[in-house]
């Protein structure tokens, strides 16, 4: 009929945002049937799948997705001796996908995370919300009590300095989870039936000087701005600690973002975290970290990066040396981790020579 206009759904944009500028990175040990639920939102984008565990196992990916898949043999072939910095038998292996991506933005999600619904019952396009977070500024230098002032229907409140209203570039968007909360093993044990049903319609900037426990299962970042800092450390097979990969990356990233005047947002979007991991297995992985974090967190709270460090790589190498010097006294693992942090940067620069000289998001 003449004059009829089809209005696209608000949750599925007619032209996907950043279609050619964003990769979706998924670590996995199993068939990726969960992608069927995400098909309306993910199918237009390129996927980078990092297969953990047995490289001879075949991972099934549903038809219709554009993807590349890397297993441990591929990682060893591409990185050679530097492959030692990529964790094995741990979801920390996902950061290899960050390294081989050639896109400006990365979104990473776990394979037990499904599409959540907002309070009205509508499917949440998590990727679209992450993109909105990344494309609008952050406010790390002064807290806005209406949270994100750049969202529709919000603004800067009375008393917010006009000189700071331009905000800062957003480097990281940290999303949350409905159903299974991201708890540590002791909390899982004492609250085995607890589920998160609270949907808080808010996005806020993590203030400068404040650390937070970053979770890697619903996370997006500007690879050009902060990519080299998103190293998930040495975890899993052969290491004395696990389940601290994303948090380690988050602490390093936040210190560097503060130094380079970049912003980090947390809040929306939500995903549906479908299953709880075994708390007893988790405790075995976490128990050293539970003790160590009482020293690790003050270390990051007091870490300072020299003014002459004007690239993410320089900042990260400075942190690596401080890890070696100060945390190495706690356990030899941290000396090994510091070595791996240096190796990570060397490998990143080999695969991404054009990003080796970027100052605050601008080429030198």
């Amino acid at each position: 009929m003449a004059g009829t206009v089809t209005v696209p759904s608000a949750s599925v944009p007619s032209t996907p945002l950043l279609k050619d500028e964003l990769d979706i990175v998924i670590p996995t040990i199993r068939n990726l049937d969960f992608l069927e639920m995400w098909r309306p939102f993910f199918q237009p984008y390129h996927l980078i799948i990092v297969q953990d565990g047995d490289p001879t196992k075949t991972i099934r990916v549903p038809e219709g997705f554009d993807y590349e898949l890397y297993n441990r043999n591929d990682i060893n072939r591409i990185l050679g001796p530097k492959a030692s910095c990529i964790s094995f038998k741990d979801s920390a292996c996902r950061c290899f996908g960050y390294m081989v991506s050639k896109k400006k933005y990365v979104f990473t999600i776990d394979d037990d995370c499904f599409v959540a619904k907002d309070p009205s019952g509508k499917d949440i396009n998590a990727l679209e919300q992450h993109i909105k977070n990344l494309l609008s500024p952050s406010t790390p230098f002064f807290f806005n009590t209406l949270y994100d002032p750049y969202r529709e229907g919000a603004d800067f409140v009375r008393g917010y300095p006009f000189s700071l209203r331009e905000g800062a570039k957003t480097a990281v968007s940290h999303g949350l989870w409905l159903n299974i909360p991201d708890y540590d093993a002791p909390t899982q044990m004492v609250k085995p039936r607890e589920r998160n049903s609270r949907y808080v319609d808010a996005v806020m900037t993590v203030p400068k000087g404040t650390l937070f426990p970053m979770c890697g299962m619903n996370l997006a970042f500007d690879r050009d701005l902060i990519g080299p800092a998103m190293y998930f450390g040495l975890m899993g097979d052969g290491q004395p600690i696990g389940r601290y990969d994303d948090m380690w990356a988050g602490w390093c990233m936040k210190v560097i973002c503060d130094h380079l005047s970049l912003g980090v947002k947390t809040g929306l979007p939500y995903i549906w975290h479908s299953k709880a991991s075994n708390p007893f297995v988790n405790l075995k992985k976490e128990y050293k970290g539970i003790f160590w974090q009482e020293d690790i967190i003050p270390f990051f709270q007091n870490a300072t990066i020299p003014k002459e460090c004007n690239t993410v790589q320089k900042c990260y190498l400075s942190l690596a040396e401080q890890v070696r010097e100060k945390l190495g006294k706690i356990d030899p693992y941290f000396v090994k981790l510091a070595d791996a942090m240096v190796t990570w940067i060397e490998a990143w620069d080999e695969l991404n020579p054009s990003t080796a000289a970027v100052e605050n998001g601008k080429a030198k």
Side-chain angles (χ1 to χ4, degrees):
M1 185 173 65
T4 301
V5 177
T6 301
V7 179
S9 166
S11 61
V12 186
S14 55
T15 303
L17 295 168
L18 303 180
K19 176 181 176 294
D20 299 318
E21 298 180 69
L22 182 144
D23 279 332
I24 300 174
V25 174
I26 305 168
T28 193
I29 58 170
R30 59 182 63 88
N31 293 334
L32 294 180
D33 300 324
F34 92 113
L35 285 173
E36 288 294 354
M37 179 177 281
W38 287 103
R39 186 181 291 276
F41 307 126
F42 288 2
Q43 190 163 355
Y45 295 89
H46 180 67
L47 312 182
I48 298 177
I49 299 162
V50 183
Q51 178 181 342
D52 198 17
D54 183 3
T56 65
K57 180 180 177 181
T58 299
I59 298 291
R60 192 186 76 81
V61 181
E63 291 185 7
F65 286 92
D66 172 35
Y67 71 93
E68 51 193 298
L69 187 151
Y70 298 93
N71 60 34
R72 192 69 203 189
N73 293 338
D74 299 315
I75 294 171
N76 292 338
R77 173 178 52 82
I78 293 167
L79 295 184
K82 292 184 175 66
S84 62
C85 72
I86 304 298
S87 298
F88 183 56
K89 294 186 178 178
D90 192 279
S91 65
C93 68
R94 79 178 77 220
C95 61
F96 177 77
Y98 309 162
M99 184 185 285
V100 297
S101 171
K102 301 303 176 190
K103 304 290 177 61
K104 177 172 171 55
Y105 300 98
V106 166
F107 168 57
T108 186
I109 187 170
D110 284 4
D111 60 13
D112 63 348
C113 294
F114 301 156
V115 177
K117 293 185 183 295
D118 68 17
S120 73
K122 184 187 298 183
D123 284 352
I124 297 169
N125 184 346
L127 181 52
E128 182 183 25
Q129 180 64 50
H130 274 301
I131 291 170
K132 288 178 179 178
N133 292 348
L134 290 170
L135 293 183
S136 62
S138 294
T139 54
F141 311 118
F142 200 88
F143 189 79
N144 190 55
T145 51
L146 276 182
Y147 307 124
D148 188 349
Y150 306 103
R151 286 187 73 191
E152 187 176 349
D155 211 322
F156 293 98
V157 297
R158 181 171 55 89
Y160 200 101
F162 283 88
S163 59
L164 294 177
R165 294 190 181 195
E166 186 176 321
K169 293 178 181 177
T170 302
V172 174
S173 170
H174 177 257
L176 300 174
W177 348 267
L178 294 172
N179 195 35
I180 306 293
D182 186 30
Y183 285 163
D184 54 35
T187 308
Q188 280 184 292
M189 288 177 178
V190 298
K191 295 182 172 182
R193 294 194 176 97
E194 185 154 297
R195 299 294 182 266
N196 180 37
S197 59
R198 295 181 66 241
Y199 180 95
V200 180
D201 186 14
V203 178
M204 64 185 74
T205 298
V206 183
K208 182 177 181 179
T210 300
L211 298 175
F212 73 107
M214 186 174 82
C215 173
M217 64 181 159
N218 176 23
L219 180 71
F221 60 93
D222 185 323
R223 190 174 171 277
D224 288 355
L225 285 180
I226 201 64
M230 301 298 282
Y231 175 47
F232 277 43
L234 284 179
M235 304 282 154
D237 194 49
Q239 309 302 335
I241 186 174
R243 285 173 54 84
Y244 274 80
D245 52 331
D246 42 8
M247 292 185 292
W248 179 265
W251 295 326
C252 291
M253 171 275 296
K254 187 58 168 61
V255 170
I256 292 173
C257 281
D258 287 352
H259 176 76
L260 297 177
S261 297
L262 299 171
V264 178
K265 292 182 180 178
T266 187
L268 301 180
Y270 283 91
I271 50 83
W272 180 270
H273 187 205
S274 65
K275 66 180 183 185
S277 47
N278 186 311
F280 297 98
V281 173
N282 290 347
L283 184 61
K284 190 175 180 180
K285 295 177 180 179
E286 291 175 1
Y287 80 96
K288 286 194 174 182
I290 291 170
F291 288 103
W292 288 345
Q293 72 184 17
E294 300 305 319
D295 292 303
I296 293 171
I297 291 170
F299 162 77
F300 282 109
Q301 287 173 328
N302 294 299
T304 56
I305 297 174
K307 288 183 179 179
E308 59 268 22
C309 293
N310 54 8
T311 69
V312 175
Q313 282 91 328
K314 290 177 183 177
C315 293
Y316 200 76
L317 292 174
S318 173
L319 268 183
E321 286 310 305
Q322 295 177 57
V323 168
R324 185 192 317 280
E325 177 188 345
K326 297 180 180 178
L327 295 182
K329 296 173 183 176
I330 298 172
D331 192 273
Y333 165 74
F334 290 100
V335 176
K336 187 178 180 182
L337 177 55
D339 290 339
M341 292 168 71
V342 173
T343 301
W344 161 264
I345 293 297
E346 291 172 352
W348 181 283
D349 286 348
E350 283 184 13
L351 268 60
N352 302 276
S354 63
T355 67
V358 174
E359 297 180 1
N360 297 322
K362 298 178 182 178
K364 288 170 69 175

